[in-house]
Amino acid sequence: MSNYIDFLPDNNLEKDYFKSIAEEIDLDVTIVAKNFHDPIEEIEGDKILLMNGDEKYTIPCEVSDPSVKMIFKQYAYDDQHEKVRPIPLGTIPKDASSLIDIQDRKFDVTFIGQTTPLRAPFLAEINNFLEDDELNCFFGLYKSFNSGLDFDMYNKILSDTKIAICPHGAFSAETFRFFEAAAHGCVVICPSQPYNWIYESAPYVHYNESTPSYHESVSAILSEPDMLQQISEGSLKYISDVVSPQNVANYITSEIEKHLEG
C-alpha cells in the first residue's frame, strides 16, 4: 500500500471507499483523500489526490501544484485536464449471497432523495405511481441532502427494491444513488450518464425526453421477469467488476504510470 493520508471528515460517505482503493495501490507516491473545497496541510513530496464533493465539474486549483502529479476526482469529464481523471461515486460491493432475490423483493419501485429542480420530470409522475394499484412503491422526498432516512434504513429499503429511480442530482446526471442501488442489485432507471470508462458498461435503463415516462418504463420492466433478473445480475456484476476498489485502484495505477512515463 502507498502512503495514505485521509483528510475526509469522519461522516463522509466516501471515507471507506477511498481507503479501500488506496489499500490496493502500491506506488512510491503519497495518496491524499480530500473534499473538493477543503484545504489540506502541507505534505512533502510527490502526491496524487482522491477528491470528491464537487457536482459542478470544476477543475481543482491543485492542478497548478507541481507536487500534485494527478487528481482522481468524482464529477470529472474525460480530457478535462491533463492531470484530472474521473472516478466513480462508488460504493464497496455487497455480499451477493446475502441479498434478497430480485423477484421476491417487497417494493416494485422506490426513490429516496431531495426534491431538486432537475428532478421535476420524475416528481411530476409520482401521482401516476401512487394511483397504480398494481405497484408497491416507496417514495421518500426531502428538501436537503442527507436529511431523510438514516443510512441503515435507506440500505434496507434498497435491498428490498426491484427498480430504483435515480433522477438527476442537484446539478448533474450523476448521483450516489446510482451506485448504491446497483450495489444492491436493483434495476436502475436514470438519465444518460457521462461518456467515460465508469459508465461504458453500466447496465442501467436510460431515461430521456424521447423515452416513455418513468411510470411506463417501470411497468414495462416489471412485465418481463427475465429482463428484470438479467439487469439485476448485470448491476451486481458491474459493481463487482468496474466500481470495486480493486478495479478503480488498477485504473489509477495504470493512469499514473502512463502520466509519469509521458
Side-chain angles (χ1 to χ4, degrees):
M1 175 182 173
S2 301
N3 182 35
Y4 182 59
I5 302 175
D6 181 3
F7 289 104
L8 295 173
D10 289 341
N11 64 347
N12 191 280
L13 296 175
E14 298 295 83
K15 198 172 184 71
D16 290 342
Y17 184 57
F18 280 8
K19 180 182 178 182
S20 297
I21 292 170
E23 287 174 345
E24 301 291 342
I25 299 174
D26 186 16
L27 294 171
D28 186 20
V29 66
T30 298
I31 302 170
V32 179
K34 70 179 293 287
N35 277 328
F36 175 75
H37 291 293
D38 293 350
I40 59 175
E41 299 172 12
E42 188 70 27
I43 301 167
E44 293 185 2
D46 292 344
K47 61 189 74 68
I48 66 169
L49 305 183
L50 304 182
M51 186 178 293
N52 73 348
D54 166 49
E55 202 174 333
K56 295 183 179 180
Y57 297 87
T58 311
I59 295 176
C61 63
E62 288 88 352
V63 296
S64 62
D65 183 344
S67 73
V68 174
K69 299 306 177 184
M70 294 196 74
I71 299 172
F72 294 88
K73 181 177 176 289
Q74 296 173 334
Y75 302 110
Y77 297 119
D78 273 350
D79 302 321
Q80 188 174 19
H81 188 279
E82 63 178 358
K83 282 188 177 182
V84 178
R85 300 289 187 277
I87 56 172
L89 296 122
T91 185
I92 296 173
K94 309 293 181 185
D95 177 7
S97 65
S98 68
L99 297 176
I100 302 170
D101 186 271
I102 193 70
Q103 309 291 350
D104 298 330
R105 297 188 180 188
K106 177 180 178 180
F107 299 110
D108 293 312
V109 58
T110 65
F111 168 77
I112 304 166
Q114 300 179 76
T115 55
T116 63
L118 286 178
R119 292 174 177 165
F122 162 65
L123 297 173
E125 291 192 47
I126 284 184
N127 282 342
N128 294 338
F129 285 101
L130 298 179
E131 292 171 358
D132 188 336
D133 294 336
E134 296 184 1
L135 294 180
N136 188 6
C137 312
F138 183 97
F139 298 131
L141 307 179
Y142 308 103
K143 291 184 178 180
S144 59
F145 179 72
N146 206 23
S147 64
L149 300 177
D150 65 55
F151 197 63
D152 288 341
M153 182 57 69
Y154 173 74
N155 280 300
K156 183 176 181 180
I157 291 172
L158 278 181
S159 70
D160 221 359
T161 293
K162 295 177 182 177
I163 300 174
I165 295 178
C166 301
H168 281 80
F171 299 98
S172 163
E174 295 186 83
T175 71
F176 285 100
R177 185 175 296 97
F178 178 102
F179 298 96
E180 293 160 350
H184 284 90
C186 303
V187 172
V188 173
I189 299 180
C190 67
S192 294
Q193 298 298 302
Y195 183 75
N196 58 35
W197 74 272
I198 299 167
Y199 298 102
E200 188 175 7
S201 63
Y204 64 95
V205 178
H206 295 241
Y207 173 84
N208 57 55
E209 293 180 354
S210 64
T211 61
S213 66
Y214 281 105
H215 178 255
E216 291 174 305
S217 296
V218 167
S219 298
I221 295 167
L222 292 173
S223 70
E224 299 285 349
D226 290 345
M227 180 170 63
L228 182 76
Q229 187 77 39
Q230 181 181 5
I231 301 176
S232 172
E233 291 172 359
S235 293
L236 294 174
K237 180 174 174 57
Y238 167 71
I239 293 295
S240 175
D241 292 354
V242 177
V243 186
S244 69
Q246 177 66 68
N247 190 65
V248 176
N250 290 342
Y251 166 77
I252 289 173
T253 299
S254 175
E255 291 298 305
I256 291 172
E257 290 175 344
K258 287 189 293 185
H259 183 72
L260 294 180
E261 288 172 3

